[in-house]
DNA sequence: TCCATTGTTTCACCCTATGAAACCCTGTTA
DNA sequence: TAACAGGGTTTCATAGGGTGAAACAATGGA
């Protein structure tokens, strides 16, 4: 049963240390050690290495660690001209101007989804979406899109994951996915966050493979269920246009 | 003479692999191995580990590696409310609108400087500055600012670095730094890049410590030496205002 | 078909990452 | 002032695991 691991333990641990900084911004050595369950001295050595290469720096006032400039340097090279999050930005802005609500772009990464791009509504009351956020695949309009239109097999694979919420009614959920698959879009109303609602449509590339979910989200008193269904055609069309932009 | 290293070799190597992606965006395994001088199988294991944690993914068409979404996730947490690159952005935009040229913000990182923020000029012919770029400390207006106003000791420390260009006339350079220190700002004219010029002024925090260099750059036919000296007071004032914003 | 190139896997060796414990600091309490 | 607590740092023997040579597989030109 043992899956052979072809990875390097010390590196895994160092990367786990780095990933601590995805929540919260400053950590002490002991905090990190406690969080990933390693010895102080081990974490100390890993942090020294990360610091040497500029992936973390320490706040000399508090003596705590924070992300370093190498991360900035890397992220600058993350966005490439063939990257959906760059290519599709103008279309996202156009949709934002059309509907006056925040527009986000999600991709699936294993058993989660990641918001790879976002343009904010300009209204006083608006949904604020941060780029890079990692969210569960079990709730939210874009989650349902990413599952409903995924290649055959992944739906079952994801829902078999031990991390999948067991209290969720599977039968009803699958039924919902099939409905979404037929309708061509998904909605969510105060599903993940109270007071928020969203409509989402799939983006397919030229060969018909799902690459991302386009999502429009806002306060639930503006994005009522009726209003969301009114918006749906515009969103689907934008998603279709985006698909043709991609290779 | 041997400086005791308290770092983890495997992690160092893995981070070096990651740092390959700061230049160029896609790399094959063998390319990377050649570049850092490691064995194919070693790099293979490191890449497998990085991939497992989402720091790299592979383009399934070309089989080459590229940066993964974990980097995006980290970079989202880089920018904090107490981060100069966020807090000073509005002031930078104001200065850009005032002078109609590209405005950049640099900090020193060891023996280099890093552009941590930039707002682009809107003119047709303009300097384009990418955030995250890492540049030498030996040329450019902001380099000279970062050295001239640094705490005592760092100037000598940097110039003693083996990476410091030996062909540079040290006497003349130090004299220039002293002049800059007296004038309160620095200029460069086609110094690092032909056709480009820049003016730069220091930003100090409340306790008088140098935190960054504010730099205005553009094409050398617009930013003539005369014009640069005309602009200097506005830049110095903006830098001063920014200093008061910081803790 | 053959060759060239790249990614993958195996395996024995010995380097090196590990964690317990001791140590050093700085600030706080009695 | 001493005693304490809480962090970060250093040391060191041990064995666990990272390493690289070499063999292997999978491509895709020529």
């Amino acid at each position: 049963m043992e899956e052979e691991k072809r990875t390097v333990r010390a590196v895994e641990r160092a990367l786990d240390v780095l990933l601590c900084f995805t929540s919260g911004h400053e950590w002490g050595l002991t905090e990190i050690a406690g969080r990933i369950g390693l010895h102080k001295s081990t974490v100390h050595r890993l942090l020294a290495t990360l610091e040497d290469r500029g992936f973390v720096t320490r706040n000399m006032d508090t003596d705590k660690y924070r992300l370093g400039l190498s991360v900035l340097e890397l992220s600058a090279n993350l966005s490439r001209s063939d990257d959906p999050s760059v290519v599709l930005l103008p279309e996202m802005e156009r949709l934002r101007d059309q509907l006056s609500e925040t527009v986000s772009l999600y991709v699936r990464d294993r058993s989660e989804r990641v918001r790879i791009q976002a343009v904010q509504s300009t209204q006083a009351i608006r949904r604020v979406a941060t780029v890079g956020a990692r969210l569960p695949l079990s709730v939210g309009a874009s989650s349902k899109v990413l599952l409903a239109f995924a290649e055959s097999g992944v739906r079952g694979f994801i829902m078999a994951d031990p991390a999948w919420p067991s209290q969720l009614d599977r039968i009803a959920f699958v039924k919902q996915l099939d409905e979404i698959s037929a309708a061509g879009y998904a909605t969510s109303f105060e599903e993940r966050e109270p007071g928020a609602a969203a409509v989402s449509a799939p983006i397919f590339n030229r060969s018909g493979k799902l690459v991302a979910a386009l999502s429009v989200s806002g306060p639930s008193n503006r994005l009522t269920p009726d209003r969301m269904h009114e918006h749906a055609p515009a969103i689907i069309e934008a998603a279709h246009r985006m698909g043709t932009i991609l290779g």
Side-chain angles (χ1 to χ4, degrees), chain A:
Chain A
M1 308 296 103
E2 266 307 322
E3 255 302 313
E4 272 291 344
K5 304 208 94 180
R6 268 165 262 287
T7 52
V8 180
R9 192 183 57 169
V11 176
E12 278 185 330
R13 291 170 163 187
L15 297 179
D16 286 339
V17 169
L18 261 189
L19 288 174
C20 279
F21 294 94
T22 54
S23 57
H25 63 123
E26 278 199 345
W27 295 82
L29 187 150
T30 319
E31 272 177 304
I32 297 177
R35 190 185 158 115
I36 17 186
L38 291 176
H39 245 260
K40 278 198 305 178
S41 64
T42 303
V43 174
H44 183 254
R45 250 175 292 120
L46 296 176
L47 281 170
T49 314
L50 290 168
E51 189 179 12
D52 185 69
R53 291 296 194 269
F55 283 80
V56 301
T57 25
R58 46 203 324 185
N59 186 339
M60 69 280 315
D61 298 331
T62 64
D63 248 33
K64 288 170 181 267
Y65 293 85
R66 51 166 53 186
L67 288 177
L69 292 170
S70 287
V71 177
L72 181 69
E73 210 180 344
L74 283 184
S75 68
N77 278 67
L78 191 61
S79 302
R80 292 277 320 159
S81 53
D82 55 348
D83 185 334
S85 69
V86 176
V87 185
L88 302 182
L89 189 54
E91 281 294 333
M92 291 176 67
E93 286 169 344
R94 187 198 286 201
L95 187 62
R96 186 261 321 265
D97 295 339
Q98 186 184 346
L99 303 181
S100 299
E101 297 290 358
T102 297
V103 175
S104 308
L105 196 66
Y106 293 91
V107 297
R108 184 175 67 83
D109 185 37
R110 300 174 189 237
S111 309
E112 295 173 305
R113 59 184 160 121
V114 179
R115 189 186 292 128
I116 63 169
Q117 188 58 282
V119 297
Q120 317 294 327
S121 160
T122 56
Q123 302 201 53
I125 304 296
R126 66 189 184 219
R127 178 68 212 279
V128 176
T130 53
V131 173
R134 193 172 280 272
L135 300 167
L137 261 182
S138 47
V139 286
S142 50
S143 292
K144 290 182 282 189
V145 164
L146 290 174
L147 287 178
F149 299 95
E151 292 167 284
S152 64
V154 315
R155 190 193 290 193
F157 172 74
I158 299 297
M159 292 179 67
D161 193 289
W164 188 262
S166 53
Q167 70 277 15
L168 211 73
D169 182 342
R170 281 160 185 265
I171 312 286
F173 192 77
V174 169
K175 180 153 172 280
Q176 199 184 359
L177 291 187
D178 288 336
E179 287 166 6
I180 288 164
S181 191
Y185 69 98
T187 62
S188 67
F189 193 78
E190 307 201 322
E191 199 167 292
R192 191 176 65 83
E193 286 190 85
V199 198
S200 181
I203 299 177
F204 300 102
N205 67 10
R206 291 246 174 80
S207 43
K209 185 164 166 274
L210 177 71
V211 290
L214 177 69
S215 171
V216 171
S217 52
S220 53
N221 55 355
R222 273 208 305 267
L223 280 186
T224 58
D226 282 353
R227 186 71 56 80
M228 287 201 283
H229 291 298
E230 284 172 28
H231 284 344
I235 297 166
I236 291 173
E237 186 189 332
H240 181 72
R241 214 166 32 232
M242 291 182 186
T244 62
I245 294 176
L246 301 172

